[in-house]
Amino acid sequence: MARDTRRGMIITAVQVLRERGADGLTVEEVLLRSGAPKGSVYYHFPGGRTELLDEALTYAGNTVSALLNRAATDGPESVLQEFIDIWRHVLTDSGYTAGCPVVAVAVSRTESEELADKARGFFNQWATALTNAFLAEGMSESTARQLATLSIATIEGAVVLCRAHRSITPLEDALAQLRTLINCHRFARDNFTLAP
């Protein structure tokens, strides 16, 4: 039961992060939404709000990393589709009030540098999953890395636009153009040979 309470508080903290950002994450809000008793915060998170925030970031980042790594074995489109599906679910289920909790921590000016480093580490993990999928297709290391960076930046930016417009269209548009770009790279790889 105690483990369920702890996990519930972490998942609730992720939801608050998505909606209010790192600066808006409070112990009081997590308790209110999770229904956990007040004493459970310091029982499960002796470090208080900072530890709860760290655990929420870790949970969110690792969850996305695991999904993307699993999808990477099926190619870059599968990784992109998984990434899009994650955000489609988050956005529509929240009525377009929720975004990326990792972004929320990465851009916060009030959280510790250690937490910002951890957030950057998750972006790197996501980029690695995509890079590996592009490399498996025979793309050069620099092209694979650059496409991975562009893909993450495009999708995360599309999430912001979806929230602003209260529509999933920017995410769908982003995916369509990323697929086109990937196909252009494949065409060039398969049909043109660069001189040594």
Side-chain angles (χ1 to χ4, degrees):
M1 186 68 161
R3 186 180 193 103
D4 291 342
T5 300
R6 185 177 195 282
R7 186 173 189 276
M9 291 175 71
I10 291 170
I11 291 170
T12 301
V14 171
Q15 293 167 349
V16 175
L17 265 177
R18 286 177 175 158
E19 294 172 17
R20 296 186 175 190
D23 298 339
L25 177 70
T26 64
V27 169
E28 293 77 17
E29 184 66 17
V30 171
L31 289 173
L32 179 67
R33 290 191 191 196
S34 69
K38 188 172 186 176
S40 61
V41 173
Y42 296 103
Y43 175 77
H44 294 292
F45 307 98
R49 178 192 175 277
T50 300
E51 185 176 349
L52 179 59
L53 176 58
D54 186 17
E55 291 288 335
L57 173 63
T58 301
Y59 179 87
N62 283 338
T63 299
V64 173
S65 292
L67 291 170
L68 298 184
N69 284 327
R70 232 182 347 264
T73 60
D74 295 326
E77 281 99 341
S78 292
V79 181
L80 292 175
Q81 188 64 58
E82 186 67 45
F83 209 22
I84 294 289
D85 288 346
I86 291 166
W87 298 129
R88 180 182 288 117
H89 174 74
V90 167
L91 288 160
T92 57
D93 285 358
S94 71
Y96 299 96
T97 62
C100 179
V102 175
V103 168
V105 174
V107 301
S108 173
R109 295 184 178 266
T110 59
E111 300 307 325
S112 70
E113 194 57 35
E114 291 80 14
L115 283 174
D117 284 343
K118 183 178 268 193
R120 284 188 288 271
F122 286 121
F123 288 132
N124 290 337
Q125 287 179 27
W126 303 348
T128 297
L130 265 169
T131 299
N132 289 338
F134 289 132
L135 286 170
E137 292 225 339
M139 294 184 189
S140 72
E141 189 169 334
S142 63
T143 298
R145 182 184 49 76
Q146 290 167 5
L147 276 175
T149 299
L150 177 67
S151 297
I152 292 169
T154 300
I155 292 169
E156 291 288 355
V159 169
V160 173
L161 291 177
C162 288
R163 292 180 75 184
H165 294 291
R166 300 183 61 74
S167 166
I168 208 68
T169 302
L171 204 55
E172 292 170 346
D173 289 346
L175 179 59
Q177 288 305 306
L178 287 171
R179 284 181 170 152
T180 299
L181 183 59
I182 291 167
N183 286 329
C184 288
H185 276 280
R186 286 180 179 139
F187 181 82
R189 178 201 63 205
D190 295 342
N191 293 286
F192 301 103
T193 305
L194 297 175

